[in-house]
Amino acid sequence: QAYPLKGNYFNLQVTKAGIGVFNDINMLWVIANYTQYMKLYPKIYAVANVRAKTSFPDIQPYFNQSALSGGSGNLRGYELYVIDGQRYGMARTALKYQLINRKFTNPVVKLSQFRTLPFAAYLKTYGEVGYVQDKYYAANNPLNNQLLRSTGVGLDIVTLYDSIFSLEYSVNHLGEWGFFMGFKVNYD
């Protein structure tokens, strides 16, 4: 479901690169992700997400150090930063209010499956925390090895066959404010 409002989601990913017997690449990383979607009251929804990743061995090629630097592992308010490390954990929460949820009929389109245009809008507020552990390269990134936190408000628009457009205004623990736009749900 492109924009879930009820239910839960769990994903466990175990990835191995290399055999490890020929003195070449030998890496293993594990990512766990759980999200709970809840309807609290009519038109009021909540989301809670926890995600963690660990990598073995600690010293690894740079490409496997990705932590809170975009994609589904993004910590809102830190979109402009790349925060890498061997391990990370994060918790994200959001409270949403449904402003509108309607379906419009397009009289120009003749095919019934494309004739209905859904449109929904949700006002939201969110709070997030994360921590990235880096034992070796933290001197190059001052955001590693400390508690990262952010909060903000936003608007999610769901339309055109589950297309999602998000507008978000966030502040991080550095006191930096930012306005960000996205084209997908920030939780998975």
Side-chain angles (χ1 to χ4, degrees), residues 151-167:
T151 189
V153 295
L155 177 69
D156 289 342
I157 298 170
V158 184
T159 188
L160 294 176
Y161 311 105
D162 296 330
S163 296
I164 300 162
F165 180 65
S166 291
L167 302 168

Side-chain angles (χ1 to χ4, degrees), residues 43-89:
K43 297 189 175 194
I44 299 177
Y45 302 89
V47 179
N49 171 260
V50 291
R51 175 186 295 266
K53 176 184 177 184
T54 187
S55 305
F56 302 101
D58 283 342
I59 298 177
Q60 297 191 12
Y62 181 77
F63 79 88
N64 189 39
Q65 301 297 324
S66 175
L68 305 182
S69 54
S72 57
N74 186 45
L75 196 64
R76 288 185 279 199
Y78 296 91
E79 287 88 347
L80 301 179
Y81 294 98
V82 174
I83 310 167
D84 293 334
Q86 296 84 31
R87 288 166 195 78
Y88 77 83

Side-chain angles (χ1 to χ4, degrees), residues 90-104:
M90 63 190 301
R92 304 181 287 186
T93 61
L95 188 62
K96 302 176 185 183
Y97 177 75
Q98 182 183 71
L99 296 172
I100 186 171
N101 188 3
R102 302 238 357 237
K103 292 183 180 180
F104 299 96

Side-chain angles (χ1 to χ4, degrees), residues 129-173:
V129 296
Y131 185 89
V132 178
Q133 181 189 47
D134 186 354
K135 294 181 179 181
Y136 302 100
Y137 309 106
N140 297 325
N141 191 341
L143 295 176
N144 288 346
N145 303 321
Q146 67 172 298
L147 185 66
L148 306 171
R149 55 202 180 281
S150 63
T151 189
V153 295
L155 177 69
D156 289 342
I157 298 170
V158 184
T159 188
L160 294 176
Y161 311 105
D162 296 330
S163 296
I164 300 162
F165 180 65
S166 291
L167 302 168
E168 298 174 339
Y169 191 68
S170 304
V171 62
N172 62 28
H173 85 282

